[in-house]
Amino acid sequence: MGNQFEAPALGRRGFIASVLATGAVGFGWGVMPGAGRPALAASNASFSPVNLIEIGADGIVTVNVTKSEMGQHVGTAFAQIVCEELEAPWGAMRIKHVDSDPQWGLMVTGGSWSINWTFDALSRAGAAGRTSLIAAAAKTWGVAADTLSASEGKVSGGGKSISFSELVASGAVSGAWTADDLKKLTLKKPASYKIIGKSVQALDIPLKVNGTAKYGIDFKLAGMLYGKIILPPTRNGATAKSVDDSAAKAIPGFVKALSLKDPSGSFTGLVVSVAETYWAAMRGAALVKVDWDAGPNAKVDDAALAAEAKRLQADPSEGATWVREGDAGAALAKAGKVITAEYTTGLNLHAPMEPTNATAEFKDGVWHLHGGNQFQTMSVPLVAKALEVDPSKVVLHQYWLGGGFGRRLLGDYFIPAALATKALGRPVKVVYSRTDDMRLDCARSPSWQKLSGAVADGKVAALTHDVACGWPTNNVAPALLGDDLDKKNKVDVFAINGADVWYTFPNHHVRLLDNKLAEATVPPGYLRSVAPGFTVWALESFVDELAHAANVDPVAFRLAHLDGAGKNDVGAQRLAAVLRQAVARSGYSSKKLPEGTAFGVAISQGQERAAATFTACVAEVTVNKKTGKFGINKLTVVYDVGTAISPDGVISQMESATLWGLSLALYETTTIRDGAIVAANFDGYTPTRMSQVPPMDMSYIATGVFPTGTGEPATTVVAPAIGNAIAMASGARVRALPITPAHVKAAMA
Amino acid sequence: MITINVNGHQQTLDVPPDMPLLWVLRDVLDLTGTKFGCGSNLCGACTVHKDGKAVRSCQVSIGDAAGANITTIEGLGAAGEHPVQAAWIKEQVPACGYCQSGQIMNAAAFLAANPDPEDEEIVRAMEGNLCRCSQYVRIQKAIKTAAETMKTGGAATNG
């Protein structure tokens, strides 16, 4: 993985940015924020070495945060990184979450990429600021810059000292930093960090305990109207034949029901009840009569999607090749005993606590959309397409996000507000009810995975892994599809990441199959932990099945395959280290467990090899063999984060990602019936609540190498660790998520 | 016309009596700290105090709230100084933060009635408040921290 101490090659970021910048969506977004952009003109009010930061004459340092804030405290981490190199006092740091603008380059918040992708640029922005401030002081005093140093917001040397604010106010600070200049700066070594590695209080938290934090749903304009969507009978493909709002006119404040055409194709049938208040819009919506054509998916259910997945898996001509090591097919044909298993996950919803919503306003020829968003680079052109205007005429205004989890990577929820505003000539705020939010979700597609393997001499001799699912990138950003190994087929890396493991398998074949029926029925999106949320579930469960077949302890079996050979160098060793730490902390090797209680382990790279966060989980589980009921005694999770910006921030994200993983493992799923998502609220879709939280032990390794992401990795390992523990404790191998006592009981029979 | 007291201010409102208190607070009085989450008494994001007791404001019509004293997150401790809010900062509870007004209001009413709770009582009291970011470990810890503060003299003023 190259030099672990330096910024990774542009990789995925470069690919996404280059595709989106070169006309695929017709919008000029660059790769890097800040670098190479002209600095703002120097003045005595503020100094901005690059557009990511601004140093005021009052000494306040504002960091322009290009990532969305949805619980990660990413802005605080940004401020710490800048503060470190700038040598500003921590109390001077402020964060500003910026609106969409091409000057910010690629704007996407997901994939646990944020810190990994920006650490270098932010460090250099801070270092550039410090260098310019020192140069200004040197010039003012007529001394050489290398005789001066900066600390705590002051430049000092030769017995003199001047504050950053005085320097800026004097107008002496200047310097336009080009990308090449920035590259030449020498950054600090971890040993001299002062603020990186400190658990500072997150800058967004005070606002979130006194009610003043403004989320998208809290935005209000004088004279705006409120809209409530009227749900079509199917998730996708329905059209409104006629709309009758005469009965709704009796509701005071009701304006009208709009039947809207969406040129972006995000909505095939879109009917919005509009009123002077949201309450009136809701009451009106209940009285509007819509004659719907339910469309082509009206008969589709889970069984139909599963049948399509099986058809694809049975056809060797289908699919894209993602991994090919050796010849797995030939090796399996020669093997004495081939083990085959099928793993599934159900339909999973984002259901952020802040239901999807947006407000639109048309002012001076520009469309202003208000609402939290995770992927401005794609959402702007999507909204522009719906409005039939040039993307340069659309601005997305950013707010705190009441949860993202990938839901707000797709900007479809801006469209009802935008089209209603266009139709009425007045600003409209459309708030999805919880049922609208669930039933119009870009849900994570169900997945169907088939694995076959053979063991010899205590190791894996061959493994094939077929993954079938709806591809989220086909729905959200088709331009970002990649090529498969043979350059013959398109591949959605966000439907297959995680299947490309750091284990050394002599014969390994991974194939990705595109379930188009799943995509047509419920156009899928990215859900927290993305593909590894299901690929790791199947793979790490099946690795245990192979370990049992080889009669080797599951930990020893994994370590034997983490030899770091060839392309697995460095990563395999880091993965082995987190596994060893999780084993040690959980008592896996030392603790005597009663009958019916066992440990299960699972490991993963987090999201993708190029930005890997090495992760291990040990679950200790007790199973009642009569009833199938089980309890989670403890979850031990270990990350390797390279460098922790805020230790408490890392632990917070680990707790959150672990419990999201637990929720997907045990509690969350819904189904598709008659082309519609069945769940309607938090009684039918049931995420983890406080009583379901098991004891947890969170720790991480930080050796000072380049930082990696923390928001998702743990999500990938919880389900397989629990499934493996259940199998170890009871012999019941469960292969479908979520795992229920009934599944466990059935698997024992 | 319906009269209620919100955060110590008398309000006389011309709204339909069946309008939920939630939407009156948010859309009429601009008190947007109280959040809409489910509309069905399933998530607790809209929790406020009605005469000192925690209620889900999506389930209380403004007609039924007539004459009552309502406290929202904005009135609990405007500067975030209520012991529960202070504990929420100390334990760094909020992630996305959207559910936290409801969590805090629920916890404040609970602690006012039960100043020295057992762990299981905390879980039972908070079970109806969903946190999609799953900050439950921190919520539990912060409630204990707040209980400790309130015991040692940091008295809570609970509307």
Side-chain angles (χ1 to χ4, degrees), chain A residues 245-270:
Chain A
D245 63 3
S246 51
K249 299 273 190 200
I251 303 292
F254 177 82
V255 175
K256 69 196 294 189
L258 298 168
S259 185
L260 299 161
K261 287 265 168 294
D262 170 17
S264 82
S266 301
F267 295 84
T268 53
L270 178 59

Side-chain angles (χ1 to χ4, degrees), chain A residues 569-656:
Chain A
D569 191 21
V570 182
Q573 292 90 326
R574 292 176 72 177
L575 204 38
V578 290
L579 176 57
R580 287 197 181 95
Q581 180 158 320
V583 161
R585 291 180 74 104
S586 64
Y588 181 94
S589 307
S590 54
K591 194 172 167 187
K592 290 272 171 285
L593 299 179
E595 166 65 18
T597 298
F599 291 110
V601 306
I603 57 175
S604 93
Q605 67 200 28
Q607 285 302 292
E608 59 181 316
R609 287 181 72 105
T613 300
F614 301 100
T615 303
C617 177
V618 177
E620 185 193 314
V621 177
T622 297
V623 183
N624 181 323
K625 293 192 196 177
K626 284 200 194 88
T627 62
K629 285 189 181 159
F630 58 94
I632 314 298
N633 304 333
K634 193 172 186 182
L635 295 173
T636 302
V637 178
V638 180
Y639 277 5
D640 174 350
V641 298
T643 293
I645 310 303
S646 168
D648 186 59
V650 171
I651 297 295
S652 172
Q653 284 290 279
M654 290 183 76
E655 290 168 356
S656 176

Side-chain angles (χ1 to χ4, degrees), chain A residues 387-438:
Chain A
L387 286 167
E388 298 174 284
V389 298
D390 189 82
S392 64
K393 300 295 176 201
V394 174
V395 177
L396 300 188
H397 295 270
Q398 185 67 299
Y399 295 83
W400 307 110
L401 279 64
F405 315 117
R407 174 60 185 94
R408 292 180 164 92
L409 285 164
L410 180 63
D412 62 338
Y413 56 89
F414 288 112
I415 292 170
L419 293 179
T421 298
K422 190 175 187 181
L424 295 171
R426 264 176 83 176
V428 180
K429 173 177 180 174
V430 173
V431 176
Y432 287 43
S433 71
R434 178 53 62 189
T435 303
D436 301 338
D437 178 82
M438 286 188 171

Side-chain angles (χ1 to χ4, degrees), chain A residues 704-729:
Chain A
V705 298
F706 206 77
T708 63
T710 59
E712 298 170 290
T715 302
T716 63
V717 283
V718 176
I722 290 173
N724 289 338
I726 288 171
M728 199 68 94

Side-chain angles (χ1 to χ4, degrees), chain A residues 218 220 656 668 689 691, chain B residues 27 30 35 42 127 132-133:
Chain A
D218 301 327
K220 194 173 186 178
S656 176
E668 292 184 31
R689 289 179 184 262
S691 68
Chain B
D27 291 347
D30 285 341
K35 300 303 187 199
L42 293 166
E127 190 70 355
R132 197 72 170 114
C133 304

